[in-house]
Amino acid sequence: MVAEQTSLRDIIGGRWAVSWQGNLLLFPISVLFIMFTEPAFASVDHWVEGILVSSVAYLAAVGILSLAEVTVLRNRRTHPVPIWLVALAGGVAWMARSAVLKTYLDLQGLPSQAPLGQRLVYGFVLGAVMIPITAWTMAAFANFYQRRRQLVDELVHEELKTQHLATYVEAMHQGIVDRVQRSVTRTAGSVRWSGKEDETSLAEGIKALDSVSQEAARELSANLWQQAQRSASLNPLLIIRSGATTRPFNYWSIIPIFVFAIPVLLRVWPLGPTLVIVVVPTIYALAVSIVANYLAPRLSPNAALASYGVAVALLLASGLVVYGLVQVIETGSASAGSLPWLAALAYGFIYPLGGPLTAIGTAQREALDRLRSSISQQEITNAALQREEQRIRREIATALHGSWSGNLTAVSMRLQQAIDDGDKQAANEALFEARRLIDIDIASTARRESADLEAILTTLATAWDGLVEITTNVAVTEDLSATLLASVEDVVTEGINNAVRHGDASRIDVAVESVDSSVTITITDNGMPSGPRVPGLGSKLFDSLAPDAWTRTSRTEKTDHGTVLTVRIRAAATLN
Amino acid sequence: MRRLKVLLVEDNDFTRSTVAASLRQEECQVVASASTAKEAVTAASEHDIDCAVIDLHLGPGPTGIDVAHSLRKADPDLGIVLLTSYADPRLLSGGNRPLPPESVYAVKNDVRSTGQLREKIDMAIGEADRPPAQSVGYVPLTDTQMEMLRMVADGLTNVEIAKRRSVTERAVETALARIMRKLEIEAESGENSRVLLIQTYHQLIGGPGGR
């Protein structure tokens, strides 16, 4: 990336101090200038000759500039030269241009407006001003295009990232879970069991996701870059339209015309008539442009554009004003015939360019701002998509592996990705989260061991809420061991399951009380009597927990059928 | 295609939203979705629904089958689809009730498109022919064998299983060998048969692993 140019010296004395593009830009201006100011080329018969001579003269200037480019301006790209040096090179080059022109005129015996010395001075001044201005203009455009390219690249990168992420997320939404599952199952089936199922499935899962995402990304159109560039292009018509509808004329751009016209005319005319011929059309042009500038923001865009057109036509008519003045003054100068044309060119063409040229700077800033804004929007979208991606990755992992281990697997996925991306910070975060998850698991295991019996029973009852009404009553005075708590939970779970699934109960009362180092659980329900119930695995469980200590009795004294299950577990009893 | 009103019961947010989106594509209006038994019963009482699509595993407490029975009791004409990753409901837990009559058991891995899901719903409400034999319990194991397979998957040793089942260790070994034959599991040299059993169990419940 090239460092952004900041100082005027960097801009004018840098890469663009001399360039073929700049030379090309100045070529028509130089030729037109000679054609309009030299009386020798005023008649149509001498136009071709004039164009050829002025072209050759300009080539002389280009030659001098090229010489400067390989000598005093050689290292300007890395070490910008002072502005005065650029002006000096330009001045000398345009002096050569004047010298060639004067030599030709003298050799051919054609009329000349000024002696050689005077021409050299004018040539030097013109070159010393025009070359730095051209360098500044070229650098401004180059800087714009360079910034635009960087921003477009950045935007395209972000857009591709968005597409990549969106595809990733979309693919996951569209059933990637199923695809990953199949892939994992296939892989697990093809490798020998090593006890590292998670790692295998994890790698396969990531591979499957990446494969889907990359396939879709490859299908992206390559014209993303072109689209972005088009959106930030400078359309000349739009720039003119923009200038015409806001502030069509830049008054400052009349100053160079004014400044250059006086010395040019002074070469052949006295001061008085020169001032009249320069000042009157300048005042006329300023008046026209002031009115146009006043009207532009107050009119509709189309009307403002029409107003701009009328103003330009009126400015072209300044040639008529000059023609009238020449007729009145009657100087008899040979070059007087070309003056109206020169005035029309200066006031009707060069002066109106000032507005659009000012608008170019604004248009450049706006184009770059549009790109920056698009990048910001894209970055926001990407951040949201990344969050979504992470969330779905966790969901997938959860779906694949269960809740806690799923989260741990999701963290492993992130860790793997961070390692692949070489993102040290993300890897550290994933490691930290993994440790936290493991801590939570250890803590929850510990909490379960010290869990409150009442809380356990309430959780069980709440889970059945809506299907069956369960009340709990705990009368336990001493602390129960974790093992005993787990046994009580198993018995109550099994008791509720039996009552609902085999007794079709709608109401269950659970009572737990401790007596002499043993716990008695009584589960009373309003379902069918215990007789028809299948003595299944629950009975086996009760046997293993409380052999010879549990009883099951049928409750028939109520109007609705029901069952009372009583289990007594000795404190020493364990699940295993 | 008739637009059906569906109640979706699923405790996993991600799966719930995915299934709901799939159902919407198939001319089904998901009038309510629930993540617990209570929410399901409440939603069913508040809405006029044609069919309930219920996940088998709803976390601790009642299973999807318990919810299905409760909903069917309240509305005998309600169509029921049990949508689950378990190839057999007995893989989840023992002592389950049979499915409510006319309900449809759909294994997620076998449902390859949203259209197939709609077909299951149409079967459940009687608007499509059912396959000759409903595939519930197609894992060819008895209830006892299924319970022993779950114990193996839970990590219990043969001694522990024997104690739980009140049988001898030798009986457990014989039973496990029979289970392996029925599931067509053959341990090759260097492979641990117990690990293969666990892999198969995980495959049957829709998780990773298996062969």
Side-chain angles (χ1 to χ4, degrees):
Chain A
M1 188 182 289
V2 178
E4 203 159 321
Q5 293 170 325
T6 48
S7 72
L8 201 58
R9 173 179 167 154
D10 288 345
I11 294 170
I12 294 175
R15 153 83 178 85
W16 296 100
V18 179
S19 64
W20 67 264
Q21 294 96 330
N23 291 336
L24 208 60
L25 183 71
L26 281 180
F27 173 66
I29 295 172
S30 167
V31 170
L32 282 174
F33 195 78
I34 290 172
M35 293 299 291
F36 277 103
T37 55
E38 287 300 332
F41 308 127
S43 70
V44 178
D45 296 343
H46 290 90
W47 277 10
V48 175
E49 182 189 14
I51 290 171
L52 286 173
V53 172
S54 52
S55 300
V56 171
Y58 188 70
L59 281 177
V62 171
I64 298 290
L65 287 174
S66 302
L67 196 61
E69 198 174 0
V70 295
T71 53
V72 291
L73 303 178
R74 192 179 56 218
N75 297 321
R76 67 187 187 285
R77 289 168 193 260
T78 49
H79 298 91
V81 298
I83 296 171
W84 65 261
L85 190 58
V86 179
L88 181 66
V92 171
W94 279 53
M95 271 171 71
R97 166 183 164 279
S98 299
V100 170
L101 180 64
K102 174 64 179 165
T103 306
Y104 179 81
L105 292 174
D106 290 348
L107 285 175
Q108 296 296 319
L110 293 169
S112 172
Q113 282 192 350
L116 180 63
Q118 210 176 44
R119 277 183 179 274
L120 291 180
V121 172
Y122 287 135
F124 183 86
V125 172
L126 267 178
V129 173
M130 295 298 279
I131 296 298
I133 287 177
T134 307
W136 182 85
T137 308
M138 298 309 299
F141 271 94
N143 188 42
F144 165 71
Y145 287 120
Q146 188 183 28
R147 284 293 299 143
R148 189 180 70 171
R149 192 164 54 247
Q150 286 166 3
L151 289 171
V152 164
D153 283 348
E154 209 173 315
L155 178 60
V156 169
H157 175 76
E158 289 297 328
E159 281 183 346
L160 279 171
K161 205 166 154 189
T162 305
Q163 295 285 354
H164 181 79
L165 284 167
T167 311
Y168 221 90
V169 170
E170 186 64 20
M172 286 192 269
H173 274 307
Q174 295 280 331
I176 189 65
V177 174
D178 186 45
R179 185 165 169 174
V180 172
Q181 256 179 341
R182 281 206 303 277
S183 170
V184 167
T185 307
R186 196 170 55 245
T187 308
S190 65
V191 298
R192 191 169 294 281
W193 174 261
S194 64
K196 292 185 176 177
E197 181 186 47
D198 274 351
E199 283 85 344
T200 310
S201 60
L202 172 63
E204 275 304 307
I206 290 174
K207 207 189 294 174
L209 285 171
D210 284 341
S211 144
V212 172
S213 174
Q214 280 163 12
E215 273 170 30
R218 270 198 293 274
E219 289 167 12
L220 277 179
S221 166
N223 60 22
L224 260 182
W225 194 87
Q226 290 164 349
Q227 282 171 11
Q229 198 178 28
R230 266 202 301 275
S231 74
S233 63
L234 296 178
N235 185 328
L237 288 175
L238 287 180
I239 290 170
I240 291 174
R241 189 185 170 88
S242 165
T245 53
T246 50
R247 195 167 186 271
F249 297 99
N250 182 357
Y251 305 131
W252 294 103
S253 53
I254 211 165
I255 292 176
I257 297 171
F258 188 82
V259 168
F260 282 106
I262 290 175
V264 168
L265 290 177
L266 276 177
R267 289 188 298 189
V268 288
W269 285 3
L271 183 62
T274 295
L275 283 178
V276 170
I277 285 180
V278 174
V279 171
V280 172
T282 301
I283 291 171
Y284 169 76
L286 280 174
V288 169
S289 49
I290 285 169
V291 173
N293 279 359
Y294 174 80
L295 289 176
R298 290 169 175 78
L299 297 173
S300 69
N302 285 336
L305 208 56
S307 150
Y308 178 66
V310 170
V312 170
L314 288 173
L315 288 172
L316 284 169
S318 59
L320 292 174
V321 174
V322 172
Y323 178 78
L325 290 170
V326 170
Q327 297 304 317
V328 171
I329 294 168
E330 293 271 355
T331 62
S333 165
S335 64
S338 65
L339 274 184
W341 294 107
L342 197 59
L345 174 75
Y347 293 107
F349 182 71
I350 297 173
Y351 173 52
L353 284 179
L357 280 173
T358 313
I360 286 176
T362 312
Q364 287 180 345
R365 277 195 299 279
E366 284 174 355
L368 295 181
D369 284 347
R370 276 200 302 278
L371 281 172
R372 286 193 194 97
S373 165
S374 301
I375 291 170
S376 302
Q377 285 297 325
Q378 218 66 43
E379 282 173 345
I380 291 167
T381 308
N382 284 349
L385 280 169
Q386 269 167 348
R387 278 198 298 277
E388 176 74 353
E389 185 203 356
Q390 282 183 4
R391 190 185 69 76
I392 296 179
R393 269 175 177 270
R394 285 200 188 91
E395 294 286 0
I396 287 174
T398 306
L400 285 174
H401 303 286
S403 58
W404 174 80
S405 61
N407 288 336
L408 197 56
T409 309
V411 172
S412 306
M413 281 180 169
R414 279 170 48 202
L415 180 60
Q416 180 68 52
Q417 199 173 12
I419 292 168
D420 290 346
D421 295 346
D423 189 339
K424 201 173 171 183
Q425 190 185 346
N428 276 332
E429 283 170 5
L431 270 175
F432 178 78
E433 195 171 336
R435 285 197 199 99
R436 192 179 62 82
L437 279 169
I438 292 166
D439 287 345
I440 287 172
D441 185 56
I442 292 168
S444 67
T445 308
R447 268 202 303 280
R448 183 178 168 76
E449 282 172 2
S450 61
D452 174 54
L453 176 61
E454 214 160 327
I456 291 173
L457 296 183
T458 305
T459 305
L460 278 175
T462 308
W464 284 90
D465 222 5
L467 298 188
V468 56
E469 190 184 335
I470 300 177
T471 58
T472 59
N473 183 19
V474 178
V476 177
T477 51
E478 56 204 279
D479 285 342
L480 303 183
S481 71
T483 313
L484 195 53
L485 272 175
S487 299
V488 172
E489 186 180 358
D490 283 341
V491 168
V492 174
T493 302
E494 198 60 37
I496 293 172
N497 286 350
N498 272 342
V500 175
R501 292 172 185 165
H502 305 300
D504 203 18
S506 60
R507 180 184 167 78
I508 301 170
D509 298 317
V510 178
V512 182
E513 59 178 340
S514 61
V515 181
D516 299 335
S517 301
S518 68
V519 176
T520 302
I521 304 151
T522 309
I523 299 171
T524 310
D525 68 68
N526 65 349
M528 288 184 291
S530 60
R533 297 186 190 184
V534 182
L537 298 170
S539 303
K540 298 280 184 191
L541 172 72
F542 301 147
D543 275 334
S544 68
L545 288 171
D548 309 323
W550 70 278
T551 56
R552 196 176 198 183
T553 55
S554 174
R555 195 180 74 176
T556 53
E557 65 272 20
K558 278 198 170 184
T559 50
D560 53 342
H561 298 296
T563 300
V564 176
L565 169 70
T566 308
V567 178
R568 193 173 78 246
I569 309 173
R570 289 194 299 272
T574 67
L575 263 172
N576 301 322
Chain B
M1 194 187 289
R2 185 159 77 90
R3 191 165 175 79
L4 298 175
K5 293 177 180 173
V6 174
L7 165 66
L8 181 59
V9 186
E10 165 67 60
D11 63 330
N12 184 289
D13 293 342
F14 177 63
T15 312
R16 192 166 62 244
S17 63
T18 309
V19 174
S22 305
L23 288 172
R24 277 193 284 274
Q25 282 179 13
E26 295 297 328
E27 290 294 307
C28 291
Q29 183 190 355
V30 180
V31 292
S33 56
S35 60
T36 63
K38 185 181 183 183
E39 284 175 15
V41 172
T42 307
S45 67
E46 288 172 353
H47 296 91
D48 179 24
I49 52 176
D50 298 308
C51 182
V53 176
I54 308 168
D55 182 27
L56 179 68
H57 184 29
L58 295 173
T63 64
I65 297 176
D66 295 319
V67 175
H69 275 284
S70 177
L71 296 180
R72 179 58 71 73
K73 197 172 174 182
D75 179 2
D77 296 328
L78 180 69
I80 302 274
V81 174
L82 266 300
L83 184 64
T84 175
S85 57
Y86 288 77
D88 188 312
R90 295 172 301 165
L91 287 160
L92 175 63
S93 61
N96 279 315
R97 283 181 277 187
L99 299 187
E102 306 297 313
S103 55
V104 173
Y105 192 82
V107 180
K108 285 176 186 169
N109 278 349
D110 297 338
V111 178
R112 296 290 179 198
S113 67
T114 52
Q116 286 183 342
L117 185 56
R118 169 70 196 229
E119 277 175 28
K120 302 281 184 190
I121 292 172
D122 287 340
M123 283 180 204
I125 60 172
E127 290 191 359
D129 293 336
R130 290 160 177 278
Q134 176 59 31
S135 60
V136 176
Y138 66 73
V139 176
L141 297 178
T142 64
D143 288 351
T144 306
Q145 287 168 338
M146 192 67 89
E147 174 67 13
M148 291 181 78
L149 179 60
R150 282 205 312 271
M151 288 179 180
V152 171
D154 283 345
L156 269 63
T157 62
N158 284 3
V159 176
E160 289 164 343
I161 295 171
K163 193 175 172 186
R164 286 269 183 104
R165 298 281 319 152
S166 302
V167 293
T168 64
E169 196 180 339
R170 175 77 184 155
V172 174
E173 285 170 11
T174 308
L176 291 182
R178 194 170 295 129
I179 290 170
M180 287 189 68
R181 271 202 305 280
K182 280 191 173 180
L183 294 178
E184 298 175 350
I185 301 169
E186 285 183 26
E188 294 172 8
S189 169
E191 287 184 323
N192 185 312
S193 58
R194 203 171 198 81
V195 169
L196 295 178
L197 264 177
I198 296 171
Q199 278 185 284
T200 305
Y201 173 83
H202 281 286
Q203 190 183 30
L204 289 171
I205 67 169
R211 287 157 61 87

Short mmCIF file of all heavy atoms in Angstrom, two decimals, chain A residues 508-542:
data_model
loop_
_atom_site.label_atom_id
_atom_site.label_comp_id
_atom_site.label_asym_id
_atom_site.label_seq_id
_atom_site.Cartn_x
_atom_site.Cartn_y
_atom_site.Cartn_z
N ILE A 508 -50.74 -37.48 41.81
CA ILE A 508 -49.76 -38.29 42.56
C ILE A 508 -49.27 -37.48 43.75
O ILE A 508 -48.96 -36.28 43.61
CB ILE A 508 -48.56 -38.66 41.67
CG1 ILE A 508 -49.01 -39.46 40.44
CG2 ILE A 508 -47.51 -39.45 42.45
CD1 ILE A 508 -47.93 -39.66 39.39
N ASP A 509 -49.24 -38.14 44.91
CA ASP A 509 -48.66 -37.50 46.10
C ASP A 509 -47.38 -38.24 46.45
O ASP A 509 -47.38 -39.47 46.57
CB ASP A 509 -49.64 -37.57 47.28
CG ASP A 509 -50.93 -36.84 46.97
OD1 ASP A 509 -50.84 -35.73 46.39
OD2 ASP A 509 -52.03 -37.38 47.24
N VAL A 510 -46.32 -37.48 46.62
CA VAL A 510 -45.04 -38.09 46.97
C VAL A 510 -44.65 -37.60 48.37
O VAL A 510 -44.62 -36.40 48.63
CB VAL A 510 -43.94 -37.69 45.96
CG1 VAL A 510 -42.60 -38.30 46.37
CG2 VAL A 510 -44.31 -38.13 44.55
N ALA A 511 -44.39 -38.57 49.26
CA ALA A 511 -43.97 -38.21 50.62
C ALA A 511 -42.67 -38.92 50.94
O ALA A 511 -42.51 -40.10 50.65
CB ALA A 511 -45.06 -38.61 51.62
N VAL A 512 -41.72 -38.17 51.48
CA VAL A 512 -40.43 -38.77 51.85
C VAL A 512 -40.16 -38.41 53.30
O VAL A 512 -40.24 -37.24 53.69
CB VAL A 512 -39.29 -38.23 50.96
CG1 VAL A 512 -37.97 -38.91 51.33
CG2 VAL A 512 -39.59 -38.44 49.48
N GLU A 513 -39.88 -39.45 54.09
CA GLU A 513 -39.53 -39.16 55.49
C GLU A 513 -38.36 -40.04 55.92
O GLU A 513 -38.15 -41.12 55.38
CB GLU A 513 -40.74 -39.37 56.40
CG GLU A 513 -41.30 -40.77 56.36
CD GLU A 513 -42.46 -40.94 57.31
OE1 GLU A 513 -42.57 -40.14 58.25
OE2 GLU A 513 -43.25 -41.87 57.12
N SER A 514 -37.60 -39.54 56.86
CA SER A 514 -36.45 -40.33 57.32
C SER A 514 -36.71 -40.79 58.75
O SER A 514 -37.15 -40.02 59.60
CB SER A 514 -35.18 -39.48 57.27
OG SER A 514 -35.33 -38.36 58.11
N VAL A 515 -36.44 -42.06 58.95
CA VAL A 515 -36.62 -42.64 60.27
C VAL A 515 -35.45 -43.59 60.53
O VAL A 515 -35.22 -44.51 59.75
CB VAL A 515 -37.95 -43.44 60.36
CG1 VAL A 515 -38.12 -44.02 61.76
CG2 VAL A 515 -39.13 -42.56 59.99
N ASP A 516 -34.73 -43.34 61.60
CA ASP A 516 -33.66 -44.25 62.03
C ASP A 516 -32.74 -44.65 60.88
O ASP A 516 -32.65 -45.83 60.52
CB ASP A 516 -34.26 -45.52 62.66
CG ASP A 516 -35.08 -45.19 63.90
OD1 ASP A 516 -34.80 -44.13 64.51
OD2 ASP A 516 -36.01 -45.97 64.20
N SER A 517 -32.07 -43.71 60.30
CA SER A 517 -31.07 -43.98 59.25
C SER A 517 -31.65 -44.65 58.01
O SER A 517 -30.93 -45.27 57.24
CB SER A 517 -29.93 -44.86 59.77
OG SER A 517 -29.31 -44.23 60.84
N SER A 518 -32.93 -44.58 57.85
CA SER A 518 -33.50 -45.07 56.60
C SER A 518 -34.52 -44.05 56.09
O SER A 518 -35.04 -43.24 56.85
CB SER A 518 -34.16 -46.44 56.81
OG SER A 518 -35.29 -46.29 57.62
N VAL A 519 -34.76 -44.13 54.79
CA VAL A 519 -35.69 -43.17 54.17
C VAL A 519 -36.89 -43.93 53.66
O VAL A 519 -36.74 -44.97 52.99
CB VAL A 519 -35.01 -42.43 53.01
CG1 VAL A 519 -35.99 -41.51 52.31
CG2 VAL A 519 -33.82 -41.64 53.51
N THR A 520 -38.07 -43.44 53.97
CA THR A 520 -39.29 -44.09 53.49
C THR A 520 -39.95 -43.18 52.46
O THR A 520 -40.20 -41.99 52.71
CB THR A 520 -40.26 -44.35 54.65
OG1 THR A 520 -39.59 -45.17 55.62
CG2 THR A 520 -41.51 -45.05 54.16
N ILE A 521 -40.21 -43.77 51.32
CA ILE A 521 -40.84 -43.01 50.23
C ILE A 521 -42.24 -43.59 50.02
O ILE A 521 -42.40 -44.80 49.83
CB ILE A 521 -40.03 -43.15 48.93
CG1 ILE A 521 -38.57 -42.72 49.16
CG2 ILE A 521 -40.65 -42.35 47.79
CD1 ILE A 521 -37.60 -43.41 48.27
N THR A 522 -43.21 -42.73 50.03
CA THR A 522 -44.58 -43.19 49.80
C THR A 522 -45.15 -42.45 48.60
O THR A 522 -45.20 -41.21 48.60
CB THR A 522 -45.47 -42.91 51.04
OG1 THR A 522 -44.80 -43.44 52.20
CG2 THR A 522 -46.83 -43.54 50.89
N ILE A 523 -45.54 -43.21 47.61
CA ILE A 523 -46.09 -42.60 46.39
C ILE A 523 -47.53 -43.06 46.24
O ILE A 523 -47.82 -44.24 46.05
CB ILE A 523 -45.27 -43.01 45.15
CG1 ILE A 523 -43.82 -42.52 45.32
CG2 ILE A 523 -45.86 -42.43 43.87
CD1 ILE A 523 -42.87 -43.03 44.28
N THR A 524 -48.43 -42.12 46.38
CA THR A 524 -49.85 -42.43 46.32
C THR A 524 -50.44 -41.83 45.04
O THR A 524 -50.21 -40.66 44.75
CB THR A 524 -50.59 -41.80 47.53
OG1 THR A 524 -49.87 -42.15 48.72
CG2 THR A 524 -52.02 -42.27 47.61
N ASP A 525 -51.15 -42.64 44.27
CA ASP A 525 -51.75 -42.10 43.04
C ASP A 525 -53.19 -42.52 42.92
O ASP A 525 -53.66 -43.39 43.64
CB ASP A 525 -50.94 -42.55 41.82
CG ASP A 525 -51.03 -44.03 41.54
OD1 ASP A 525 -52.13 -44.49 41.17
OD2 ASP A 525 -50.00 -44.74 41.71
N ASN A 526 -53.89 -41.86 41.98
CA ASN A 526 -55.31 -42.16 41.79
C ASN A 526 -55.54 -43.00 40.54
O ASN A 526 -56.61 -42.99 39.96
CB ASN A 526 -56.13 -40.87 41.73
CG ASN A 526 -55.77 -40.05 40.51
OD1 ASN A 526 -54.77 -40.36 39.84
ND2 ASN A 526 -56.55 -39.03 40.20
N GLY A 527 -54.49 -43.70 40.10
CA GLY A 527 -54.62 -44.51 38.89
C GLY A 527 -55.22 -45.87 39.17
O GLY A 527 -55.78 -46.12 40.24
N MET A 528 -55.05 -46.73 38.18
CA MET A 528 -55.60 -48.08 38.32
C MET A 528 -54.84 -48.82 39.41
O MET A 528 -53.67 -48.51 39.68
CB MET A 528 -55.46 -48.83 37.00
CG MET A 528 -56.42 -48.34 35.92
SD MET A 528 -56.29 -49.33 34.46
CE MET A 528 -54.70 -48.88 33.85
N PRO A 529 -55.48 -49.80 40.05
CA PRO A 529 -54.79 -50.54 41.10
C PRO A 529 -53.55 -51.23 40.55
O PRO A 529 -53.40 -51.41 39.35
CB PRO A 529 -55.83 -51.57 41.56
CG PRO A 529 -57.11 -51.18 40.96
CD PRO A 529 -56.84 -50.27 39.82
N SER A 530 -52.71 -51.62 41.48
CA SER A 530 -51.44 -52.17 41.05
C SER A 530 -51.56 -53.53 40.41
O SER A 530 -50.66 -53.98 39.71
CB SER A 530 -50.48 -52.26 42.25
OG SER A 530 -51.08 -53.10 43.23
N GLY A 531 -52.66 -54.19 40.61
CA GLY A 531 -52.82 -55.53 40.08
C GLY A 531 -52.47 -55.68 38.61
O GLY A 531 -51.57 -56.44 38.24
N PRO A 532 -53.14 -54.91 37.73
CA PRO A 532 -52.91 -55.11 36.30
C PRO A 532 -51.55 -54.59 35.84
O PRO A 532 -51.15 -54.84 34.72
CB PRO A 532 -54.02 -54.28 35.64
CG PRO A 532 -54.97 -53.93 36.73
CD PRO A 532 -54.18 -53.92 37.99
N ARG A 533 -50.90 -53.86 36.70
CA ARG A 533 -49.64 -53.28 36.25
C ARG A 533 -48.59 -54.36 36.01
O ARG A 533 -48.51 -55.34 36.72
CB ARG A 533 -49.11 -52.28 37.27
CG ARG A 533 -50.04 -51.10 37.44
CD ARG A 533 -49.42 -50.09 38.34
NE ARG A 533 -50.40 -49.09 38.68
CZ ARG A 533 -50.12 -48.02 39.40
NH1 ARG A 533 -48.90 -47.82 39.83
NH2 ARG A 533 -51.06 -47.15 39.67
N VAL A 534 -47.80 -54.11 35.03
CA VAL A 534 -46.76 -55.09 34.70
C VAL A 534 -45.60 -54.91 35.66
O VAL A 534 -45.06 -53.83 35.80
CB VAL A 534 -46.25 -54.87 33.26
CG1 VAL A 534 -45.21 -55.91 32.91
CG2 VAL A 534 -47.43 -54.89 32.29
N PRO A 535 -45.21 -55.95 36.41
CA PRO A 535 -44.05 -55.83 37.28
C PRO A 535 -42.78 -55.79 36.45
O PRO A 535 -42.26 -56.84 36.07
CB PRO A 535 -44.13 -57.09 38.16
CG PRO A 535 -44.91 -58.06 37.36
CD PRO A 535 -45.79 -57.30 36.44
N GLY A 536 -42.36 -54.65 36.10
CA GLY A 536 -41.25 -54.53 35.16
C GLY A 536 -39.96 -54.16 35.83
O GLY A 536 -39.67 -54.56 36.96
N LEU A 537 -39.22 -53.33 35.14
CA LEU A 537 -37.88 -52.99 35.58
C LEU A 537 -37.88 -52.17 36.85
O LEU A 537 -36.95 -52.21 37.62
CB LEU A 537 -37.16 -52.26 34.46
CG LEU A 537 -37.01 -53.10 33.18
CD1 LEU A 537 -36.52 -52.24 32.05
CD2 LEU A 537 -36.08 -54.27 33.44
N GLY A 538 -39.00 -51.43 37.05
CA GLY A 538 -39.09 -50.63 38.27
C GLY A 538 -39.00 -51.49 39.51
O GLY A 538 -38.27 -51.18 40.46
N SER A 539 -39.71 -52.63 39.48
CA SER A 539 -39.68 -53.53 40.62
C SER A 539 -38.27 -54.04 40.87
O SER A 539 -37.81 -54.18 42.01
CB SER A 539 -40.62 -54.71 40.38
OG SER A 539 -41.91 -54.21 40.12
N LYS A 540 -37.56 -54.31 39.76
CA LYS A 540 -36.18 -54.77 39.89
C LYS A 540 -35.33 -53.70 40.56
O LYS A 540 -34.47 -53.99 41.40
CB LYS A 540 -35.60 -55.07 38.51
CG LYS A 540 -36.31 -56.17 37.77
CD LYS A 540 -35.87 -57.53 38.24
CE LYS A 540 -36.53 -58.63 37.40
NZ LYS A 540 -36.32 -59.96 38.01
N LEU A 541 -35.59 -52.47 40.16
CA LEU A 541 -34.82 -51.36 40.74
C LEU A 541 -35.08 -51.28 42.24
O LEU A 541 -34.15 -51.16 43.04
CB LEU A 541 -35.22 -50.05 40.06
CG LEU A 541 -34.65 -48.80 40.70
CD1 LEU A 541 -33.16 -48.70 40.41
CD2 LEU A 541 -35.37 -47.56 40.18
N PHE A 542 -36.38 -51.39 42.59
CA PHE A 542 -36.70 -51.29 44.01
C PHE A 542 -36.04 -52.43 44.78
O PHE A 542 -35.54 -52.25 45.89
CB PHE A 542 -38.22 -51.33 44.21
CG PHE A 542 -38.95 -50.22 43.50
CD1 PHE A 542 -40.22 -50.42 42.99
CD2 PHE A 542 -38.34 -48.98 43.34
CE1 PHE A 542 -40.87 -49.40 42.33
CE2 PHE A 542 -38.99 -47.95 42.68
CZ PHE A 542 -40.27 -48.15 42.17
#
